[in-house]
Amino acid sequence: MTVTLSVITAQDEGTGVCATTPMLGVYRTVSYFDDSVGWLRTGHAVLWQRGSSTVTASADHPGAAKDAVTVLARTLLSTWRADNPGTN
């Protein structure tokens, strides 16, 4: 499995506002036969994926962005534990 965290942030210096969108995903590598080309291909299947966003004043933004990532990580763990009992 592959876990990917992506974070996109923008700042408006004129207003002092920052916006961040963290996205967290869990993917599994899979192989499949592609009829259009006639051979096996490898790609990634999404097992779990979520995103959120936060908009705050620049001074408050590092903490708010960290909190948004923490919420995503906790949601991933609780969802994973609920969907996979006995593997925790």
Side-chain angles (χ1 to χ4, degrees):
M1 282 187 281
T2 301
V3 177
T4 302
L5 173 65
S6 303
V7 180
I8 301 168
T9 300
Q11 178 184 17
D12 183 340
E13 291 185 30
T15 62
V17 172
C18 287
T20 293
T21 302
M23 296 161 286
L24 183 60
V26 179
Y27 310 91
R28 175 172 297 201
T29 302
V30 295
S31 294
Y32 59 94
F33 186 80
D34 186 335
D35 289 326
S36 66
V37 294
W39 64 71
L40 284 176
R41 289 192 181 224
T42 301
H44 291 89
V46 176
L47 301 177
W48 187 93
Q49 186 173 353
R50 301 284 189 287
S52 67
S53 61
T54 183
V55 178
T56 64
S58 295
D60 300 329
H61 202 69
K66 178 184 173 191
D67 292 346
V69 171
T70 299
V71 167
L72 285 175
R74 287 183 179 156
T75 302
L76 166 61
L77 291 174
S78 66
T79 302
W80 189 266
R81 288 176 181 139
D83 291 347
N84 299 282
T87 61
N88 303 321

